[in-house]
Amino acid sequence: MIARPALTSLEARIDASAHRLLRSAPATGARARLVEFGVFVLKQAWACVFGATFLAVVLAAKLWYPDDAALARNDALTIAAITIQVVMVVGRLETLRELRVVVLFHVVGTVMELFKTDVGSWMYAADGVLRIGGVPLYSGFMYAAVGSYMVRVYRLFDLRFSRYPRRWLTAVVAAAIYANFFTHHWIVDLRWVLVAAVVILWGRTTMHFRFFRGTFRMPLLLAFAGVAVFIWLAENIATYAGAWLYPSQVGGWHPVDVSKLSSWFLLMIVSVVLVTWVYPPREPDRVGLSAADKGIAVP
């Protein structure tokens, strides 16, 4: 029996206060559904706190950071990202266990950034000293923001999964996806083969999640696609703010091509697999399961 990931001490206090306010909400009807939706939105916002805060800093730096400042803009963004991460841990918004996952995302992302900037897939401004080659150190925190969201949403929504595939199979697919981000520059791009593999492997998996009183479920592939869309929207804001640019945006900013959604969808798989090695997928409670869900999930 795998224990539910615990809330941090601060989150537990917030959760207790919120539930005291919510107990007066009706259990059924339109108001009940509105309350559940409100809780969903607030929990999603809380799960995104690292990424949303850093994205706000990036946008503020574009609008107000002085061009003649003694501290380079890229270095200021790196220091800001480190500060946000420290506050997350010291303020007990993130556990040390989750921090290990975030650091792993940081490493995985930085390695990809070093390669992708070297082959010209995208580029950063050349200012600042807090960098590795052409990659400012804040770039790894953008991947860490995805990791932070993934681990936080897992426990905030008490995620459970029916018919989750065997983890060793998911690890093989995730490794192939990560490798393809590099190898497609020299050999055929296998992204659509990998998308097909993802659909086959996770196509029957159902995600169960809780807002307040009710437990809801949806196809896991739909959740993957939804998060990929939100990351793509964040990417548009980040490139507009000059965090990085694609070659086609150097002459003037324009929205990121929707073809990037497939890349974010596949990166989501890598993210999910990394998180499951810290929080193994759990089966939903037996009560309320449909006949199709009972007894089939694989942790």
Side-chain angles (χ1 to χ4, degrees):
M1 181 76 177
I2 299 168
R4 174 183 176 178
L7 298 176
T8 66
S9 56
L10 175 59
E11 287 174 336
R13 292 196 295 272
I14 294 173
D15 189 63
S17 298
H19 276 79
R20 283 196 294 271
L21 293 173
L22 289 168
R23 284 191 190 104
S24 60
T28 58
R31 280 191 61 199
R33 290 191 291 272
L34 185 61
V35 168
E36 290 283 2
F37 179 73
V39 172
F40 169 77
V41 171
L42 290 173
K43 281 191 173 184
Q44 284 286 351
W46 188 245
C48 294
V49 65
F50 181 95
T53 302
F54 185 57
L55 191 60
V57 170
V58 171
L59 189 57
K62 173 182 174 61
L63 296 174
W64 298 301
Y65 200 79
D67 294 333
D68 58 350
L71 182 65
R73 176 176 175 270
N74 281 355
D75 290 346
L77 289 175
T78 298
I79 293 170
I82 294 171
T83 301
I84 294 169
Q85 185 63 79
V86 170
V87 169
M88 291 282 290
V89 176
V90 174
R92 298 183 179 181
L93 303 178
E94 199 165 72
T95 67
L96 291 176
R97 185 183 187 187
E98 291 168 350
L99 181 61
R100 294 199 298 269
V101 181
V102 170
V103 170
L104 181 57
F105 272 81
H106 199 296
V107 172
V108 168
T110 299
V111 170
M112 186 184 296
E113 288 288 321
L114 289 169
F115 175 80
K116 290 292 190 177
T117 53
D118 187 61
V119 298
S121 296
W122 54 77
M123 61 202 71
Y124 292 89
D127 60 330
V129 297
L130 300 178
R131 60 195 302 114
I132 301 176
V135 180
L137 294 183
Y138 73 75
S139 67
F141 285 96
M142 293 185 288
Y143 292 86
V146 177
S148 176
Y149 169 79
M150 294 297 299
V151 292
R152 289 164 64 77
V153 80
Y154 192 93
R155 57 184 168 79
L156 289 174
F157 287 88
D158 190 22
L159 297 186
R160 310 291 182 98
F161 305 91
S162 299
R163 300 183 300 278
Y164 195 89
R166 295 187 181 276
R167 281 190 293 163
W168 70 268
L169 284 174
T170 68
V172 170
V173 172
I177 289 170
Y178 188 67
N180 188 68
F181 281 120
F182 297 85
T183 59
H184 81 84
H185 290 278
W186 302 297
I187 62 175
V188 63
D189 188 353
L190 298 175
R191 76 174 61 199
W192 296 112
V193 174
L194 293 167
V195 168
V198 169
V199 171
I200 292 170
L201 197 57
W202 278 276
R204 297 175 63 247
T205 305
T206 300
M207 181 176 71
H208 301 250
F209 51 99
R210 178 180 294 277
F211 302 163
F212 171 40
R213 290 191 178 106
T215 297
F216 306 84
R217 61 183 183 176
M218 68 186 299
L220 187 56
L221 288 178
L222 182 59
F224 290 162
V227 175
V229 168
F230 278 103
I231 296 175
W232 176 77
L233 292 173
E235 180 184 37
N236 275 280
I237 297 172
T239 54
Y240 170 77
W244 75 91
L245 290 173
Y246 290 103
S248 64
Q249 295 174 318
V250 173
W253 182 86
H254 58 80
V256 177
D257 194 278
V258 293
S259 64
K260 290 292 181 183
L261 281 170
S262 63
S263 298
W264 287 117
F265 177 81
L266 290 173
L267 185 64
M268 276 298 305
I269 305 306
V270 177
S271 304
V272 167
V273 170
L274 288 175
V275 171
T276 60
W277 288 99
V278 175
Y279 292 141
R282 297 166 298 147
E283 296 181 11
D285 294 333
R286 314 300 290 179
V287 177
L289 278 183
S290 68
D293 288 335
K294 290 182 179 178
I296 309 176
V298 179

